[in-house]
Amino acid sequence: IVGQKAEAAAKAAAAAEQDLFYAPDPASAAESTLGGNVATNAGGMRCVKYGVTRDAVRSLEVVLANGDVIRTSPPTVKAVGGLDLTSLLVGSEGTLGVITEITVGLLPAPGPVRGITAGFSSSKAALDAANQIMAGPHRPSTRSRSTSAATRS
């Protein structure tokens, strides 16, 4: 549980010290706050595997326009009844309420980072290979494609 001004990179580093993993990684993670990430439903390169910020948020404390303070999820493991207010508020950019507290889910720390580079004869061949990889049993945490013009410079 963190406040909305908690720095995203600092909290991810604190989780890593406990062998845990905060998956969302927006490009601005070094400067961003968790509140800003939640307000905009920030993504990042790892969203290919782990989803966007909405997928990591478990509950919110929010101040509504009339001053009422609500919690979006009950303190139970399973909460399937009623509206999913957490998902509604994540990405609403403050239009529905002011987020004052965020409960995020952490994952076990992933294994070592590995990378590959491959060349393809055409864009179609590269995209076909990417589709096969994404459909396979070992989903990458990030994926990128460069054109030959970009790799020549």
Side-chain angles (χ1 to χ4, degrees):
I1 299 175
V2 296
Q4 82 279 15
K5 291 186 179 182
E7 294 178 1
K11 293 302 174 187
E17 289 175 7
Q18 302 298 315
D19 290 327
L20 295 170
F21 180 60
Y22 177 67
D25 68 329
S28 62
E31 301 89 24
S32 68
T33 63
L34 287 177
N37 293 348
V38 170
T40 61
N41 192 29
M45 291 292 286
R46 288 192 300 240
C47 70
V48 169
K49 183 172 187 172
Y50 299 106
V52 293
T53 298
R54 176 177 286 120
D55 300 303
V57 175
R58 300 293 171 253
S59 181
L60 299 169
E61 180 184 88
V62 180
V63 179
L64 301 177
N66 67 358
D68 287 350
V69 178
I70 65 163
R71 182 161 286 286
T72 60
S73 295
T76 58
V77 174
K78 186 175 180 181
V80 295
L83 297 173
D84 182 0
L85 294 177
T86 303
S87 290
L88 179 68
L89 288 159
V90 174
S92 68
E93 299 189 359
T95 59
L96 303 175
V98 176
I99 297 167
T100 56
E101 186 179 278
I102 305 160
T103 303
V104 298
L106 300 174
L107 302 171
V113 175
R114 294 183 179 98
I116 63 167
T117 302
F120 296 93
S121 60
S122 67
S123 291
K124 182 182 181 328
L127 294 172
D128 287 345
N131 286 336
Q132 289 178 2
I133 291 168
M134 294 306 290
H138 304 290
R139 185 168 223 167
S141 60
T142 62
R143 185 180 70 188
S144 180
R145 177 179 174 264
S146 297
T147 63
S148 59
T151 56
R152 278 191 296 247
S153 55

